[in-house]
Amino acid sequence: GAVVSQHPSRVICKSGTSVKIECRSLDFQATTMFWYRQFPKKSLMLMATSNEGSKATYEQGVEKDKFLINHASLTLSTLTVTSAHPEDSSFYICSASPQAFNYGYTFGSGTRLTVV
Amino acid sequence: GENVEQHPSTLSVQEGDSAVIKCTYSDSASNYFPWYKQELGKGPQLIIDIRSNVGEKKDQRIAVTLNKTAKHFSLHITETQPEDSAVYFCAAASGYSTLTFGKGTMLLVSP
Protein backbone atom coordinates (compact mmCIF):
# COMPACT_ATOMS: atom_id res chain seq x y z
CA GLY A 1 0.00 0.00 0.00
CA ALA A 2 0.85 3.66 -0.21
CA VAL A 3 3.39 4.75 2.38
CA VAL A 4 4.11 8.28 3.53
CA SER A 5 7.23 8.80 5.60
CA GLN A 6 7.61 11.82 7.85
CA HIS A 7 10.74 12.95 9.65
CA PRO A 8 11.65 13.74 12.30
CA SER A 9 9.10 12.15 14.59
CA ARG A 10 10.07 14.44 17.45
CA VAL A 11 12.04 17.64 17.58
CA ILE A 12 12.84 20.11 20.32
CA CYS A 13 14.17 23.49 19.33
CA LYS A 14 14.96 26.78 20.97
CA SER A 15 12.73 29.75 20.53
CA GLY A 16 13.76 31.82 17.53
CA THR A 17 15.26 28.97 15.53
CA SER A 18 13.82 27.26 12.46
CA VAL A 19 12.82 23.65 12.08
CA LYS A 20 12.31 21.64 8.89
CA ILE A 21 9.95 18.69 8.65
CA GLU A 22 10.10 16.32 5.70
CA CYS A 23 7.26 14.35 4.13
CA ARG A 24 8.06 11.69 1.55
CA SER A 25 5.84 9.43 -0.50
CA LEU A 26 7.86 6.22 -0.62
CA ASP A 27 6.16 4.15 -3.27
CA PHE A 28 4.12 6.60 -5.28
CA GLN A 29 4.27 10.04 -6.79
CA ALA A 30 2.25 12.76 -5.19
CA THR A 31 1.64 15.99 -7.06
CA THR A 32 -0.28 17.22 -4.05
CA MET A 33 0.51 16.84 -0.37
CA PHE A 34 -1.23 18.32 2.62
CA TRP A 35 0.03 19.66 5.92
CA TYR A 36 -2.05 19.52 9.06
CA ARG A 37 -1.63 20.73 12.59
CA GLN A 38 -3.19 18.97 15.54
CA PHE A 39 -3.53 20.25 19.08
CA PRO A 40 -3.90 17.80 21.98
CA LYS A 41 -7.24 16.00 21.94
CA LYS A 42 -8.35 18.01 18.93
CA SER A 43 -9.06 17.27 15.31
CA LEU A 44 -6.75 17.84 12.38
CA MET A 45 -6.56 21.37 11.07
CA LEU A 46 -5.49 21.80 7.47
CA MET A 47 -2.69 24.32 7.20
CA ALA A 48 -1.82 24.23 3.54
CA THR A 49 -1.92 22.28 0.32
CA SER A 50 1.49 21.65 -1.19
CA ASN A 51 1.68 21.50 -4.96
CA GLU A 52 4.71 20.11 -6.76
CA GLY A 53 6.48 22.79 -8.72
CA SER A 54 4.27 25.64 -7.60
CA LYS A 55 3.43 27.71 -4.58
CA ALA A 56 1.54 26.18 -1.71
CA THR A 57 -2.03 27.18 -0.98
CA TYR A 58 -2.47 28.24 2.64
CA GLU A 59 -5.64 28.12 4.66
CA GLN A 60 -7.03 31.28 6.10
CA GLY A 61 -5.22 32.36 9.20
CA VAL A 62 -2.04 30.40 8.51
CA GLU A 63 1.03 32.61 8.25
CA LYS A 64 2.82 31.94 4.99
CA ASP A 65 6.07 33.48 6.18
CA LYS A 66 6.14 31.41 9.35
CA PHE A 67 5.24 28.07 7.79
CA LEU A 68 7.27 27.74 4.62
CA ILE A 69 6.31 24.88 2.35
CA ASN A 70 8.43 23.53 -0.47
CA HIS A 71 7.34 20.73 -2.82
CA ALA A 72 10.34 20.41 -5.07
CA SER A 73 9.73 16.86 -6.30
CA LEU A 74 6.90 14.41 -6.76
CA THR A 75 7.93 12.53 -3.64
CA LEU A 76 9.04 15.20 -1.19
CA SER A 77 7.39 18.12 0.53
CA THR A 78 8.94 20.05 3.39
CA LEU A 79 7.46 22.30 6.05
CA THR A 80 9.78 24.78 7.71
CA VAL A 81 8.64 26.49 10.87
CA THR A 82 10.60 29.72 10.92
CA SER A 83 11.50 31.72 14.01
CA ALA A 84 9.66 29.19 16.12
CA HIS A 85 7.98 30.22 19.36
CA PRO A 86 6.42 28.14 22.12
CA GLU A 87 2.95 28.67 20.65
CA ASP A 88 4.12 26.83 17.53
CA SER A 89 4.55 23.68 19.60
CA SER A 90 2.16 21.14 18.17
CA PHE A 91 1.78 17.86 16.28
CA TYR A 92 2.31 18.36 12.55
CA ILE A 93 1.12 15.74 10.09
CA CYS A 94 1.41 15.45 6.33
CA SER A 95 -0.68 13.41 3.92
CA ALA A 96 -0.71 12.46 0.26
CA SER A 97 -2.65 10.30 -2.14
CA PRO A 98 -1.48 8.12 -5.01
CA GLN A 99 -4.86 8.34 -6.61
CA ALA A 100 -7.19 11.08 -7.75
CA PHE A 101 -7.39 14.14 -5.59
CA ASN A 102 -9.77 12.96 -2.95
CA TYR A 103 -9.22 9.27 -2.60
CA GLY A 104 -7.07 7.08 -0.46
CA TYR A 105 -5.22 9.71 1.53
CA THR A 106 -2.32 8.28 3.51
CA PHE A 107 -0.92 10.14 6.46
CA GLY A 108 2.59 10.35 7.76
CA SER A 109 3.40 9.38 11.33
CA GLY A 110 3.50 12.97 12.46
CA THR A 111 6.11 15.25 14.01
CA ARG A 112 5.89 16.43 17.59
CA LEU A 113 7.44 19.89 17.72
CA THR A 114 8.32 21.38 21.08
CA VAL A 115 9.69 24.91 21.19
CA VAL A 116 11.44 25.84 24.41
CA GLY B 1 -17.98 25.11 3.19
CA GLU B 2 -18.39 21.60 4.46
CA ASN B 3 -19.16 20.96 8.12
CA VAL B 4 -18.83 17.51 9.66
CA GLU B 5 -20.35 16.69 13.03
CA GLN B 6 -19.23 13.54 14.84
CA HIS B 7 -20.79 11.76 17.81
CA PRO B 8 -20.15 10.63 20.42
CA SER B 9 -16.95 12.32 21.53
CA THR B 10 -16.14 9.38 23.78
CA LEU B 11 -17.36 5.81 23.70
CA SER B 12 -16.62 3.07 26.20
CA VAL B 13 -17.50 -0.53 25.44
CA GLN B 14 -16.68 -3.97 26.77
CA GLU B 15 -14.54 -6.27 24.72
CA GLY B 16 -16.69 -8.19 22.28
CA ASP B 17 -19.39 -5.55 22.11
CA SER B 18 -20.13 -3.49 19.01
CA ALA B 19 -19.29 0.18 18.66
CA VAL B 20 -21.03 2.70 16.43
CA ILE B 21 -19.79 6.19 15.62
CA LYS B 22 -21.96 8.57 13.65
CA CYS B 23 -21.20 11.57 11.47
CA THR B 24 -23.30 14.06 9.59
CA TYR B 25 -22.19 16.36 6.83
CA SER B 26 -23.64 19.53 5.39
CA ASP B 27 -22.47 19.69 1.78
CA SER B 28 -24.68 17.58 -0.47
CA ALA B 29 -21.87 17.62 -3.06
CA SER B 30 -19.59 15.58 -0.80
CA ASN B 31 -18.90 12.20 -2.36
CA TYR B 32 -16.03 10.67 -0.43
CA PHE B 33 -16.20 9.62 3.22
CA PRO B 34 -13.15 8.06 4.86
CA TRP B 35 -12.66 6.92 8.43
CA TYR B 36 -9.34 7.17 10.22
CA LYS B 37 -7.97 5.56 13.36
CA GLN B 38 -5.37 7.51 15.29
CA GLU B 39 -3.34 6.00 18.08
CA LEU B 40 -1.57 8.19 20.59
CA GLY B 41 1.40 9.99 19.11
CA LYS B 42 0.85 8.62 15.63
CA GLY B 43 -0.62 9.83 12.38
CA PRO B 44 -4.15 8.85 11.31
CA GLN B 45 -4.52 5.52 9.57
CA LEU B 46 -7.19 5.01 6.94
CA ILE B 47 -9.34 2.06 8.01
CA ILE B 48 -12.21 2.21 5.56
CA ASP B 49 -13.78 4.62 3.11
CA ILE B 50 -16.95 4.86 1.10
CA ARG B 51 -18.02 6.78 -1.94
CA SER B 52 -21.42 8.28 -2.55
CA ASN B 53 -22.44 5.68 -5.11
CA VAL B 54 -22.32 2.96 -2.43
CA GLY B 55 -24.60 2.58 0.60
CA GLU B 56 -22.53 0.18 2.64
CA LYS B 57 -19.05 -1.25 2.71
CA LYS B 58 -17.59 -3.91 4.95
CA ASP B 59 -14.08 -5.07 5.75
CA GLN B 60 -13.96 -7.88 8.30
CA ARG B 61 -15.09 -6.39 11.63
CA ILE B 62 -15.46 -2.88 10.27
CA ALA B 63 -18.34 -1.53 8.22
CA VAL B 64 -19.44 1.89 7.06
CA THR B 65 -22.94 2.89 6.02
CA LEU B 66 -23.93 5.99 4.11
CA ASN B 67 -27.32 7.66 3.88
CA LYS B 68 -27.04 10.37 1.24
CA THR B 69 -30.58 11.60 1.73
CA ALA B 70 -30.06 12.22 5.41
CA LYS B 71 -26.42 13.20 4.87
CA HIS B 72 -25.02 10.95 7.50
CA PHE B 73 -22.62 8.06 7.64
CA SER B 74 -21.63 5.67 10.38
CA LEU B 75 -18.76 3.43 11.38
CA HIS B 76 -19.59 0.06 12.86
CA ILE B 77 -17.02 -2.06 14.66
CA THR B 78 -18.11 -5.52 15.73
CA GLU B 79 -16.47 -7.85 18.23
CA THR B 80 -14.36 -5.02 19.61
CA GLN B 81 -10.93 -5.77 20.99
CA PRO B 82 -8.69 -3.74 23.34
CA GLU B 83 -6.43 -2.91 20.39
CA ASP B 84 -9.36 -1.09 18.79
CA SER B 85 -8.97 1.57 21.47
CA ALA B 86 -7.98 4.79 19.73
CA VAL B 87 -9.40 8.04 18.42
CA TYR B 88 -11.52 7.67 15.30
CA PHE B 89 -12.11 10.49 12.85
CA CYS B 90 -14.65 10.70 10.08
CA ALA B 91 -14.13 13.03 7.14
CA ALA B 92 -15.88 14.20 4.01
CA ALA B 93 -14.78 15.68 0.71
CA SER B 94 -16.21 16.56 -2.67
CA GLY B 95 -14.65 16.86 -6.09
CA TYR B 96 -11.38 18.67 -5.66
CA SER B 97 -12.01 19.98 -2.18
CA THR B 98 -9.86 18.98 0.75
CA LEU B 99 -10.96 16.67 3.55
CA THR B 100 -13.09 18.12 6.33
CA PHE B 101 -12.71 16.16 9.54
CA GLY B 102 -15.06 15.54 12.39
CA LYS B 103 -13.84 16.30 15.90
CA GLY B 104 -13.06 12.70 16.68
CA THR B 105 -14.34 9.92 18.94
CA MET B 106 -12.20 8.39 21.63
CA LEU B 107 -13.06 4.70 21.76
CA LEU B 108 -12.07 2.74 24.84
CA VAL B 109 -12.50 -1.01 24.77
CA SER B 110 -12.23 -2.58 28.21
CA PRO B 111 -11.08 -6.20 28.57
Side-chain angles (χ1 to χ4, degrees), chain A residues 10 34 36 38 41-44 46 49 59 91 93 99 101-110 112, chain B residues 31-32 36 38 41-46 49 51 89 93-99 101-104 106:
Chain A
R10 293 176 179 269
F34 304 90
Y36 293 83
Q38 187 177 34
K41 298 185 180 181
K42 297 294 184 181
S43 189
L44 287 78
L46 179 65
T49 301
E59 296 299 302
F91 193 53
I93 315 170
Q99 305 175 42
F101 193 88
N102 273 329
Y103 297 89
Y105 287 112
T106 299
F107 283 80
S109 54
R112 171 71 60 192
Chain B
N31 58 5
Y32 177 60
Y36 291 90
Q38 186 178 29
K42 298 183 179 180
Q45 176 188 8
L46 178 68
D49 58 9
R51 294 165 177 71
F89 291 98
S94 63
Y96 287 88
S97 72
T98 55
L99 288 172
F101 285 87
K103 291 187 176 181
M106 180 175 290

Side-chain angles (χ1 to χ4, degrees), chain A residues 4-115:
Chain A
V4 173
S5 175
Q6 187 173 342
H7 292 282
S9 58
R10 293 176 179 269
V11 58
I12 300 173
C13 70
K14 292 184 177 181
S15 187
T17 62
S18 295
V19 174
K20 180 183 286 187
I21 302 169
E22 292 188 347
C23 180
R24 295 180 182 273
S25 54
L26 297 186
D27 50 1
F28 66 97
Q29 294 183 331
T31 57
T32 304
M33 292 185 175
F34 304 90
W35 288 96
Y36 293 83
R37 183 173 181 176
Q38 187 177 34
F39 292 102
K41 298 185 180 181
K42 297 294 184 181
S43 189
L44 287 78
M45 180 188 76
L46 179 65
M47 298 175 64
T49 301
S50 170
N51 303 296
E52 187 269 334
S54 64
K55 292 183 178 180
T57 303
Y58 290 82
E59 296 299 302
Q60 189 173 5
V62 178
E63 298 179 60
K64 300 178 182 181
D65 295 333
K66 165 162 282 294
F67 300 101
L68 300 179
I69 292 173
N70 183 279
H71 195 158
S73 76
L74 288 172
T75 60
L76 174 63
S77 176
T78 60
L79 168 67
T80 301
V81 183
T82 64
S83 187
H85 289 92
E87 56 265 31
D88 298 325
S89 298
S90 192
F91 193 53
Y92 294 88
I93 315 170
C94 68
S95 77
S97 172
Q99 305 175 42
F101 193 88
N102 273 329
Y103 297 89
Y105 287 112
T106 299
F107 283 80
S109 54
T111 297
R112 171 71 60 192
L113 170 63
T114 302
V115 184

Side-chain angles (χ1 to χ4, degrees), chain B residues 10-108:
Chain B
T10 59
L11 178 60
S12 294
V13 299
Q14 292 291 320
E15 182 177 1
D17 289 349
S18 295
V20 180
I21 303 171
K22 299 181 179 181
C23 289
T24 61
Y25 61 98
S26 61
D27 188 352
S28 57
S30 288
N31 58 5
Y32 177 60
F33 308 93
W35 285 90
Y36 291 90
K37 175 183 180 182
Q38 186 178 29
E39 298 178 337
L40 189 63
K42 298 183 179 180
Q45 176 188 8
L46 178 68
I47 56 172
I48 196 167
D49 58 9
I50 191 169
R51 294 165 177 71
S52 60
N53 59 344
V54 176
E56 183 175 359
K57 184 177 179 180
K58 189 174 182 180
D59 183 4
Q60 299 182 355
R61 298 187 295 110
I62 296 173
V64 56
T65 59
L66 172 64
N67 184 324
K68 289 172 55 180
T69 302
K71 289 190 281 189
H72 67 70
F73 56 112
S74 300
L75 177 70
H76 304 254
I77 305 174
T78 59
E79 301 174 23
T80 54
Q81 301 167 4
E83 49 265 39
D84 294 330
S85 297
V87 178
Y88 291 81
F89 291 98
C90 64
S94 63
Y96 287 88
S97 72
T98 55
L99 288 172
T100 299
F101 285 87
K103 291 187 176 181
T105 296
M106 180 175 290
L107 173 65
L108 176 62

